[in-house]
Amino acid sequence: MQTRVIDYIDFDKVNVLLEGFNQSTGFVTAILDLDGNVLSKSGWRQICTNFHRVHTLTSTRCTISDTELSGQMNKGEKYHCYKCLNGLTDVAVPIIIKGEHIANLFSGQFFFEKPDYKFFEEQARQFGFNETKYMKALKEVPIVSEEKVKTAMDFLLNMTQIISEMTFQRMELMTLNNTISESEETYRMLYENLNDAVFTSELNSDGTLGKFIHVNDIACQRLSYSREELLQKTPLDINSLTQKETVISNTQLFINNQRTVYETEHITKNGEIIAVEVSSNLTTYKGKTLILSIARDITERKRAEEELTKNEAIIKTTVDNLPIILYVIDKDGIFRLSIGAGLKSLGLKPNQVVGFSVFDVYKDHPAIVQAVKKALSNELTNFESKVNEAYHYNSLSPLPNVGIIGVAMDITELKNTFRKLEQSREDYLKLFEDHVAIKLLIDPSSGQIINSNFAAENYYGWTREELKQMNIAQINTLSKEEIEKAIKNAMINQKMHVEFIHRLANGSLRNVEVFSSKINFNGKQVLHSIIHDVTDRKKAEEELVIAKKRAEESDRLKTAFLQNMSHEIRTPMNAIMGFSELLPDCANDSVKLKNYTNIINLRCNDLLDIINDILDISKIESGQLPANMTATNLEELFSELSSFFNEYQKRLNKEHIELNLHAFSNHEQNLILTDNVKLKQIFINLISNAFKFTDEGKIEGTCKLDNTNNLIFSVSDTGIGIPQDKHQYIFDRFTQIQHKGKKNTGGTGLGLSIVKALVSLLGGHVSLESEPGKGSTFYFTIPYQPNRAALAEPQEVINTQHSELSGKTILIVEDDANNAEYLNEVLAGTGLIILQAGTGAAAIEKSNIQNIDLVLMDVRLPDISGYEALRLIRTKNPNLKIILQTAYATIDEQRKAFSEGCVDYLSKPIKKDILLNMIKKHLN
């Protein structure tokens, strides 16, 4: 099978050579295989890359020329010049590996004499080239003497020899590796008979190099060691002192990449230094990690390279006629070559700096020093330098194991020209293109956009070229007539300040503020428009108006609420305080005393309802009102509600209104899981509301199941009803419907808002049916969760007599003197022995020294909290019964009381009957 060049030629190294040759001589190069495929190229002329090799017909000519040159190479010529069918001269040098002609190194794209410009002008017209650009590209093609070509070709012949050697070495190495993988026997034969030294060493587990385990005869002969002696050494032992770090670093490299090739120096037993190229592979064998290395003696090649670098005459002859500087710096930073006509601009003579360190010569030019260091790290580097007011463009190319080759071109004149142009450009950009504001230049006669800046491009989403093809009517949402009128007014008045709606490329619409003025541009009057996006400002203004309305409405509602609260609180307070003052005057009139006391009690309940409503809505808004699902019996719930509202009707003097609450007829259906407290509160709010607005007739509550497994509750009344247009507001906070001719019923305006929130908390929704004069029906749903396993607990009958309390000791812990006195009065006559403590410390002390049956503990005490006090009491009296009493009337507080071990919980204000029943329950 024919050898494939691309598999063996190291194009990374070849490209460095070709690029250096192009930069130092100006000759373009390329490597083509025998089929005409371009494998590598450097510095090709624009007339070829942009014209001849682009057009179908001229490209075919190029292929014919390449084929012709390749054919001449097959005849055994050293090199061959040929004038291609497109009119340029090319030259080719054969690349021969192991006697086989496998590719050609091309150069050329030059003239030996002044070209026939008419020929090329005719060629441009024939093939449709841009004649101006084509002829400009033609002028860049150099005219070169045959002597220079001969000199360059001799250099290229040496280069092809280097390429051939490099490729030959790679072919041999690859052949060796393939052979090793095919057969162990073949591997051993090659191992022992290869002309290169072969070493196999072990890689230690910590990444260090172990001893050799195999070496071939060539390795022993070259290093003058016996096989036994070499097998006692490591790869580091046979490398010179200066190359040990190179071996270590390359070992780490090939451990990561499995394969590497590097140059080093081996030292023989007699101390002789041998330059070698080492190719290493990583492999595993019988559980061990092995390094297989082949070391080729490259002493002759290194000598040839040194000879090549010494051949400066050819390069000098070429470079001295070019306005450039060519310099070579070795790997220690020492100048080894400095030639070229460009040295005059630096005040230097050829090779004047040779032998000096670049770091010393240019120590005051850190950019040059940094670039040289970068190139010495094997990185292609391009940079600009300024020395003695002369600017140069430098290109540095690494030469492996040698140093770097650099080319510098004087660009001082070009820089000065660019500086002037850049200044003009910057002035223009500052005025127009780079301005952060959106700018358009518009033709007033047609509305066509003449130009735009980058801000306009970014804002509208069209490119500047697209904008130049557009009319302002394609952006502005006004009609064409309205746009023409606006432009006309702007031209008459010299300026314009208007707000429009503009359309963007993505179809979105934006509010803009446009400032336009008439200016002269390229001798023509145009409209210069500066555009600001005010969409966010407009939106903010609209939101501000909405927010203002909301704030005003909120302020109105809050004002109404505060006024209402003031009225609702002061009204019962007026009765409480008024009748409290009258009590001493009627001490001997039992009828009046009972009447006044009932009034005070009723108004206190009203005040408590108001406070509870405010607390409920506050807890709902703050999310501190969780649902507590417990077993609930609807029959018992409706029975409690009926008892509650019997008293409520007496307070309102509406005992004539009939109240009917209907549970399920099936007893088990009434046993459900829900939040019993919140369900009761919903009914209390709805029924209380019904009583307020019903003067005659009845109020009825029902429950039923729908087909979606929801419980539907309803509360109906025969009251005055609610107008249809008020239905959507009736559940809003602070909302109260004023009925014509109807006395204000009072309240906070929070009841129905609380109902809606509580129903939502239980997973349902609330609705309303109502008509003025025909009454109202409120419906609400909750999910139906049956609890058939629950049995109704028998109601405990509390003995109204107090004989069972006689002789029992109770400790009242209360810091408020009035509350303490109230509790004393309530418990007076019960036979209880009453102890009192105003602080937590006092309560702890009394519980430790006296036998106490029950503690009535307040939460808020002046020294420590009631919870802390009860914990300390329980350390000595773990079974002591404690009832918590607090003004913090929340479900969380109740849960905390039970979690702390309290037997019960009382929320203030404390009612006499509830307190006595609870004490009897826990002392009986």
Side-chain angles (χ1 to χ4, degrees), residues 539-559 733-734:
K539 184 178 179 181
E541 289 172 355
E542 293 170 0
E543 290 176 350
L544 189 61
V545 171
I546 294 171
K548 182 182 177 185
K549 290 181 179 178
R550 287 177 178 170
E552 290 173 348
E553 176 63 15
S554 177
D555 186 59
R556 185 190 67 77
L557 288 173
K558 287 179 181 178
T559 301
R733 287 179 300 160
F734 314 135

PDB file of all heavy atoms in Angstrom, residues 539-559 733-734:
ATOM      1  N   LYS A 539     -44.094  53.192  32.446  1.00  0.00           N
ATOM      2  CA  LYS A 539     -44.701  52.135  33.255  1.00  0.00           C
ATOM      3  C   LYS A 539     -44.689  52.526  34.726  1.00  0.00           C
ATOM      4  O   LYS A 539     -45.672  52.319  35.453  1.00  0.00           O
ATOM      5  CB  LYS A 539     -43.928  50.829  33.055  1.00  0.00           C
ATOM      6  CG  LYS A 539     -44.544  49.641  33.781  1.00  0.00           C
ATOM      7  CD  LYS A 539     -43.746  48.377  33.497  1.00  0.00           C
ATOM      8  CE  LYS A 539     -44.347  47.184  34.233  1.00  0.00           C
ATOM      9  NZ  LYS A 539     -43.559  45.942  33.983  1.00  0.00           N
ATOM     10  N   ALA A 540     -43.552  53.134  35.147  1.00  0.00           N
ATOM     11  CA  ALA A 540     -43.446  53.558  36.541  1.00  0.00           C
ATOM     12  C   ALA A 540     -44.467  54.646  36.854  1.00  0.00           C
ATOM     13  O   ALA A 540     -45.059  54.662  37.941  1.00  0.00           O
ATOM     14  CB  ALA A 540     -42.032  54.066  36.828  1.00  0.00           C
ATOM     15  N   GLU A 541     -44.659  55.555  35.877  1.00  0.00           N
ATOM     16  CA  GLU A 541     -45.647  56.611  36.088  1.00  0.00           C
ATOM     17  C   GLU A 541     -47.046  56.021  36.224  1.00  0.00           C
ATOM     18  O   GLU A 541     -47.830  56.435  37.087  1.00  0.00           O
ATOM     19  CB  GLU A 541     -45.592  57.603  34.918  1.00  0.00           C
ATOM     20  CG  GLU A 541     -44.336  58.468  34.910  1.00  0.00           C
ATOM     21  CD  GLU A 541     -44.229  59.294  33.640  1.00  0.00           C
ATOM     22  OE1 GLU A 541     -45.087  59.119  32.725  1.00  0.00           O
ATOM     23  OE2 GLU A 541     -43.310  60.123  33.539  1.00  0.00           O
ATOM     24  N   GLU A 542     -47.347  55.046  35.324  1.00  0.00           N
ATOM     25  CA  GLU A 542     -48.668  54.404  35.407  1.00  0.00           C
ATOM     26  C   GLU A 542     -48.830  53.650  36.722  1.00  0.00           C
ATOM     27  O   GLU A 542     -49.882  53.708  37.364  1.00  0.00           O
ATOM     28  CB  GLU A 542     -48.839  53.442  34.224  1.00  0.00           C
ATOM     29  CG  GLU A 542     -48.924  54.150  32.876  1.00  0.00           C
ATOM     30  CD  GLU A 542     -48.859  53.179  31.717  1.00  0.00           C
ATOM     31  OE1 GLU A 542     -48.749  51.963  31.976  1.00  0.00           O
ATOM     32  OE2 GLU A 542     -48.911  53.635  30.547  1.00  0.00           O
ATOM     33  N   GLU A 543     -47.745  52.930  37.103  1.00  0.00           N
ATOM     34  CA  GLU A 543     -47.813  52.200  38.362  1.00  0.00           C
ATOM     35  C   GLU A 543     -47.932  53.141  39.543  1.00  0.00           C
ATOM     36  O   GLU A 543     -48.580  52.828  40.548  1.00  0.00           O
ATOM     37  CB  GLU A 543     -46.568  51.323  38.516  1.00  0.00           C
ATOM     38  CG  GLU A 543     -46.545  50.142  37.549  1.00  0.00           C
ATOM     39  CD  GLU A 543     -45.267  49.341  37.660  1.00  0.00           C
ATOM     40  OE1 GLU A 543     -44.336  49.813  38.351  1.00  0.00           O
ATOM     41  OE2 GLU A 543     -45.192  48.257  37.048  1.00  0.00           O
ATOM     42  N   LEU A 544     -47.290  54.333  39.402  1.00  0.00           N
ATOM     43  CA  LEU A 544     -47.372  55.330  40.465  1.00  0.00           C
ATOM     44  C   LEU A 544     -48.800  55.828  40.628  1.00  0.00           C
ATOM     45  O   LEU A 544     -49.280  56.006  41.755  1.00  0.00           O
ATOM     46  CB  LEU A 544     -46.430  56.495  40.157  1.00  0.00           C
ATOM     47  CG  LEU A 544     -46.229  57.523  41.267  1.00  0.00           C
ATOM     48  CD1 LEU A 544     -45.634  56.852  42.494  1.00  0.00           C
ATOM     49  CD2 LEU A 544     -45.339  58.657  40.793  1.00  0.00           C
ATOM     50  N   VAL A 545     -49.477  56.026  39.473  1.00  0.00           N
ATOM     51  CA  VAL A 545     -50.874  56.477  39.526  1.00  0.00           C
ATOM     52  C   VAL A 545     -51.746  55.404  40.187  1.00  0.00           C
ATOM     53  O   VAL A 545     -52.577  55.703  41.050  1.00  0.00           O
ATOM     54  CB  VAL A 545     -51.385  56.783  38.095  1.00  0.00           C
ATOM     55  CG1 VAL A 545     -52.889  57.046  38.117  1.00  0.00           C
ATOM     56  CG2 VAL A 545     -50.655  57.992  37.526  1.00  0.00           C
ATOM     57  N   ILE A 546     -51.492  54.125  39.746  1.00  0.00           N
ATOM     58  CA  ILE A 546     -52.266  53.021  40.335  1.00  0.00           C
ATOM     59  C   ILE A 546     -51.970  52.906  41.823  1.00  0.00           C
ATOM     60  O   ILE A 546     -52.873  52.732  42.650  1.00  0.00           O
ATOM     61  CB  ILE A 546     -51.936  51.701  39.609  1.00  0.00           C
ATOM     62  CG1 ILE A 546     -52.424  51.777  38.151  1.00  0.00           C
ATOM     63  CG2 ILE A 546     -52.573  50.513  40.322  1.00  0.00           C
ATOM     64  CD1 ILE A 546     -51.960  50.619  37.291  1.00  0.00           C
ATOM     65  N   ALA A 547     -50.645  52.999  42.147  1.00  0.00           N
ATOM     66  CA  ALA A 547     -50.256  52.895  43.546  1.00  0.00           C
ATOM     67  C   ALA A 547     -50.861  54.021  44.371  1.00  0.00           C
ATOM     68  O   ALA A 547     -51.279  53.825  45.520  1.00  0.00           O
ATOM     69  CB  ALA A 547     -48.731  52.915  43.675  1.00  0.00           C
ATOM     70  N   LYS A 548     -50.920  55.217  43.751  1.00  0.00           N
ATOM     71  CA  LYS A 548     -51.510  56.354  44.460  1.00  0.00           C
ATOM     72  C   LYS A 548     -52.985  56.092  44.748  1.00  0.00           C
ATOM     73  O   LYS A 548     -53.474  56.345  45.855  1.00  0.00           O
ATOM     74  CB  LYS A 548     -51.346  57.629  43.627  1.00  0.00           C
ATOM     75  CG  LYS A 548     -51.888  58.871  44.319  1.00  0.00           C
ATOM     76  CD  LYS A 548     -51.737  60.102  43.432  1.00  0.00           C
ATOM     77  CE  LYS A 548     -52.348  61.324  44.112  1.00  0.00           C
ATOM     78  NZ  LYS A 548     -52.324  62.511  43.236  1.00  0.00           N
ATOM     79  N   LYS A 549     -53.681  55.560  43.710  1.00  0.00           N
ATOM     80  CA  LYS A 549     -55.096  55.256  43.902  1.00  0.00           C
ATOM     81  C   LYS A 549     -55.277  54.190  44.980  1.00  0.00           C
ATOM     82  O   LYS A 549     -56.158  54.279  45.830  1.00  0.00           O
ATOM     83  CB  LYS A 549     -55.711  54.778  42.582  1.00  0.00           C
ATOM     84  CG  LYS A 549     -55.846  55.890  41.539  1.00  0.00           C
ATOM     85  CD  LYS A 549     -56.476  55.345  40.264  1.00  0.00           C
ATOM     86  CE  LYS A 549     -56.629  56.458  39.213  1.00  0.00           C
ATOM     87  NZ  LYS A 549     -57.200  55.946  37.950  1.00  0.00           N
ATOM     88  N   ARG A 550     -54.399  53.162  44.914  1.00  0.00           N
ATOM     89  CA  ARG A 550     -54.491  52.107  45.919  1.00  0.00           C
ATOM     90  C   ARG A 550     -54.210  52.659  47.316  1.00  0.00           C
ATOM     91  O   ARG A 550     -54.865  52.291  48.293  1.00  0.00           O
ATOM     92  CB  ARG A 550     -53.493  50.984  45.601  1.00  0.00           C
ATOM     93  CG  ARG A 550     -53.902  50.128  44.411  1.00  0.00           C
ATOM     94  CD  ARG A 550     -52.841  49.105  44.113  1.00  0.00           C
ATOM     95  NE  ARG A 550     -53.241  48.242  42.988  1.00  0.00           N
ATOM     96  CZ  ARG A 550     -52.420  47.389  42.384  1.00  0.00           C
ATOM     97  NH1 ARG A 550     -51.177  47.293  42.792  1.00  0.00           N
ATOM     98  NH2 ARG A 550     -52.840  46.645  41.370  1.00  0.00           N
ATOM     99  N   ALA A 551     -53.171  53.529  47.373  1.00  0.00           N
ATOM    100  CA  ALA A 551     -52.820  54.108  48.668  1.00  0.00           C
ATOM    101  C   ALA A 551     -53.963  54.951  49.204  1.00  0.00           C
ATOM    102  O   ALA A 551     -54.274  54.923  50.397  1.00  0.00           O
ATOM    103  CB  ALA A 551     -51.551  54.955  48.538  1.00  0.00           C
ATOM    104  N   GLU A 552     -54.574  55.733  48.279  1.00  0.00           N
ATOM    105  CA  GLU A 552     -55.693  56.563  48.701  1.00  0.00           C
ATOM    106  C   GLU A 552     -56.858  55.707  49.175  1.00  0.00           C
ATOM    107  O   GLU A 552     -57.502  56.007  50.184  1.00  0.00           O
ATOM    108  CB  GLU A 552     -56.130  57.473  47.541  1.00  0.00           C
ATOM    109  CG  GLU A 552     -55.116  58.570  47.229  1.00  0.00           C
ATOM    110  CD  GLU A 552     -55.492  59.337  45.968  1.00  0.00           C
ATOM    111  OE1 GLU A 552     -56.396  58.863  45.234  1.00  0.00           O
ATOM    112  OE2 GLU A 552     -54.884  60.399  45.707  1.00  0.00           O
ATOM    113  N   GLU A 553     -57.128  54.604  48.413  1.00  0.00           N
ATOM    114  CA  GLU A 553     -58.212  53.714  48.799  1.00  0.00           C
ATOM    115  C   GLU A 553     -57.891  53.022  50.124  1.00  0.00           C
ATOM    116  O   GLU A 553     -58.740  52.897  51.007  1.00  0.00           O
ATOM    117  CB  GLU A 553     -58.440  52.661  47.707  1.00  0.00           C
ATOM    118  CG  GLU A 553     -59.491  51.603  48.035  1.00  0.00           C
ATOM    119  CD  GLU A 553     -60.887  52.194  48.209  1.00  0.00           C
ATOM    120  OE1 GLU A 553     -61.115  53.360  47.809  1.00  0.00           O
ATOM    121  OE2 GLU A 553     -61.756  51.484  48.754  1.00  0.00           O
ATOM    122  N   SER A 554     -56.594  52.584  50.243  1.00  0.00           N
ATOM    123  CA  SER A 554     -56.177  51.947  51.484  1.00  0.00           C
ATOM    124  C   SER A 554     -56.279  52.926  52.644  1.00  0.00           C
ATOM    125  O   SER A 554     -56.731  52.573  53.735  1.00  0.00           O
ATOM    126  CB  SER A 554     -54.737  51.445  51.352  1.00  0.00           C
ATOM    127  OG  SER A 554     -54.288  50.892  52.563  1.00  0.00           O
ATOM    128  N   ASP A 555     -55.862  54.175  52.369  1.00  0.00           N
ATOM    129  CA  ASP A 555     -55.934  55.191  53.413  1.00  0.00           C
ATOM    130  C   ASP A 555     -57.386  55.454  53.809  1.00  0.00           C
ATOM    131  O   ASP A 555     -57.703  55.619  54.992  1.00  0.00           O
ATOM    132  CB  ASP A 555     -55.261  56.475  52.918  1.00  0.00           C
ATOM    133  CG  ASP A 555     -55.163  57.525  54.007  1.00  0.00           C
ATOM    134  OD1 ASP A 555     -54.548  57.245  55.046  1.00  0.00           O
ATOM    135  OD2 ASP A 555     -55.733  58.622  53.818  1.00  0.00           O
ATOM    136  N   ARG A 556     -58.260  55.469  52.755  1.00  0.00           N
ATOM    137  CA  ARG A 556     -59.673  55.707  53.026  1.00  0.00           C
ATOM    138  C   ARG A 556     -60.252  54.570  53.874  1.00  0.00           C
ATOM    139  O   ARG A 556     -60.968  54.798  54.857  1.00  0.00           O
ATOM    140  CB  ARG A 556     -60.452  55.822  51.711  1.00  0.00           C
ATOM    141  CG  ARG A 556     -61.929  56.185  51.913  1.00  0.00           C
ATOM    142  CD  ARG A 556     -62.686  56.031  50.613  1.00  0.00           C
ATOM    143  NE  ARG A 556     -62.765  54.643  50.193  1.00  0.00           N
ATOM    144  CZ  ARG A 556     -63.614  53.761  50.757  1.00  0.00           C
ATOM    145  NH1 ARG A 556     -64.408  54.107  51.753  1.00  0.00           N
ATOM    146  NH2 ARG A 556     -63.630  52.508  50.334  1.00  0.00           N
ATOM    147  N   LEU A 557     -59.888  53.310  53.470  1.00  0.00           N
ATOM    148  CA  LEU A 557     -60.393  52.159  54.218  1.00  0.00           C
ATOM    149  C   LEU A 557     -59.854  52.138  55.645  1.00  0.00           C
ATOM    150  O   LEU A 557     -60.581  51.850  56.592  1.00  0.00           O
ATOM    151  CB  LEU A 557     -60.006  50.863  53.502  1.00  0.00           C
ATOM    152  CG  LEU A 557     -60.761  50.573  52.196  1.00  0.00           C
ATOM    153  CD1 LEU A 557     -60.147  49.358  51.514  1.00  0.00           C
ATOM    154  CD2 LEU A 557     -62.241  50.353  52.452  1.00  0.00           C
ATOM    155  N   LYS A 558     -58.544  52.454  55.759  1.00  0.00           N
ATOM    156  CA  LYS A 558     -57.961  52.460  57.101  1.00  0.00           C
ATOM    157  C   LYS A 558     -58.581  53.550  57.964  1.00  0.00           C
ATOM    158  O   LYS A 558     -58.836  53.351  59.156  1.00  0.00           O
ATOM    159  CB  LYS A 558     -56.450  52.656  57.012  1.00  0.00           C
ATOM    160  CG  LYS A 558     -55.716  51.420  56.497  1.00  0.00           C
ATOM    161  CD  LYS A 558     -54.232  51.664  56.396  1.00  0.00           C
ATOM    162  CE  LYS A 558     -53.519  50.425  55.855  1.00  0.00           C
ATOM    163  NZ  LYS A 558     -52.071  50.664  55.707  1.00  0.00           N
ATOM    164  N   THR A 559     -58.807  54.730  57.339  1.00  0.00           N
ATOM    165  CA  THR A 559     -59.423  55.832  58.085  1.00  0.00           C
ATOM    166  C   THR A 559     -60.818  55.425  58.548  1.00  0.00           C
ATOM    167  O   THR A 559     -61.202  55.631  59.708  1.00  0.00           O
ATOM    168  CB  THR A 559     -59.487  57.097  57.215  1.00  0.00           C
ATOM    169  OG1 THR A 559     -58.158  57.440  56.826  1.00  0.00           O
ATOM    170  CG2 THR A 559     -60.122  58.251  57.975  1.00  0.00           C
ATOM    171  N   ARG A 733     -62.027  43.296  53.373  1.00  0.00           N
ATOM    172  CA  ARG A 733     -61.833  43.809  54.724  1.00  0.00           C
ATOM    173  C   ARG A 733     -62.413  45.213  54.882  1.00  0.00           C
ATOM    174  O   ARG A 733     -62.376  46.014  53.933  1.00  0.00           O
ATOM    175  CB  ARG A 733     -60.336  43.866  55.066  1.00  0.00           C
ATOM    176  CG  ARG A 733     -59.698  42.516  55.306  1.00  0.00           C
ATOM    177  CD  ARG A 733     -58.235  42.675  55.601  1.00  0.00           C
ATOM    178  NE  ARG A 733     -57.555  43.323  54.465  1.00  0.00           N
ATOM    179  CZ  ARG A 733     -56.383  43.931  54.538  1.00  0.00           C
ATOM    180  NH1 ARG A 733     -55.757  43.979  55.691  1.00  0.00           N
ATOM    181  NH2 ARG A 733     -55.833  44.477  53.487  1.00  0.00           N
ATOM    182  N   PHE A 734     -62.921  45.495  56.052  1.00  0.00           N
ATOM    183  CA  PHE A 734     -63.438  46.812  56.459  1.00  0.00           C
ATOM    184  C   PHE A 734     -64.694  47.216  55.707  1.00  0.00           C
ATOM    185  O   PHE A 734     -65.154  48.354  55.806  1.00  0.00           O
ATOM    186  CB  PHE A 734     -62.381  47.923  56.284  1.00  0.00           C
ATOM    187  CG  PHE A 734     -61.027  47.562  56.796  1.00  0.00           C
ATOM    188  CD1 PHE A 734     -59.876  47.834  56.057  1.00  0.00           C
ATOM    189  CD2 PHE A 734     -60.873  46.933  58.027  1.00  0.00           C
ATOM    190  CE1 PHE A 734     -58.629  47.509  56.538  1.00  0.00           C
ATOM    191  CE2 PHE A 734     -59.619  46.605  58.514  1.00  0.00           C
ATOM    192  CZ  PHE A 734     -58.496  46.890  57.768  1.00  0.00           C
TER     193      PHE A 734
END
